[in-house]
Amino acid sequence: MKDQLPKLGLFVLRAVIGLVFAGHGWRKFFADDAAKVFENLRAFAAYLESVKVPAPEATAWFVATVYLLGGLLLLLGVASRLQAALLACVIGTATFYVHLGQGFFQKVVSGQIAGAEYALVMLAGCVCLALAGGGMLELFPFPKGKTGKESAKK
């Protein structure tokens, strides 16, 4: 059982990171009111334009799609390393392009949550999963990596 604890830890990390990204992707696409579908996406694109992100509409669609689908696939354990790497690229870009310039600690600025701490935690979690894999209960663990014990045997 003791040798399963690291896999359990990675599973918990994968489930939480996947759920949080999927939730953020869902919120970027859909408002609380079903009649306002894509209103949040338009607002997100307007925010991206205000912080000088190139091609804000296309970027908003890309980020929302990666967050929603990548988060769901990560949660399910489908190609966890690849999903985590893609999510790390997206949140890493957002962290360095937008969040670090807003300071480290989160605060509300003009109705938006600003600050880098949350984004850095999500980035670190994605990097860990991309390097170590998704732990137990993966539906499709691709690409399969070697554990330290398997590598030492060769």
Side-chain angles (χ1 to χ4, degrees), residues 17 21 66 70 74 79-93 122-123 125-131 142-143:
I17 295 281
F21 270 114
V66 169
L74 186 63
S80 297
R81 287 173 181 239
L82 293 177
Q83 303 308 326
L86 179 58
L87 288 164
C89 289
V90 174
I91 193 69
T93 301
M122 295 300 286
L123 175 60
C126 287
V127 169
C128 287
L129 291 169
L131 295 173
F142 174 82

Side-chain angles (χ1 to χ4, degrees), residues 42-54:
R42 286 189 282 276
F44 180 47
Y47 171 73
L48 293 176
E49 186 174 28
S50 76
V51 294
K52 309 289 189 252
V53 171

Side-chain angles (χ1 to χ4, degrees), residues 28-76:
K28 286 185 184 340
F29 276 117
F30 305 107
D32 294 331
D33 183 355
K36 298 178 181 177
V37 173
F38 300 128
E39 185 174 301
N40 287 3
L41 194 61
R42 286 189 282 276
F44 180 47
Y47 171 73
L48 293 176
E49 186 174 28
S50 76
V51 294
K52 309 289 189 252
V53 171
E57 292 85 13
T59 302
W61 275 93
F62 176 75
V63 169
T65 301
V66 169
Y67 278 17
L68 179 59
L69 294 180
L72 286 173
L73 292 172
L74 186 63
L75 177 63
L76 294 171

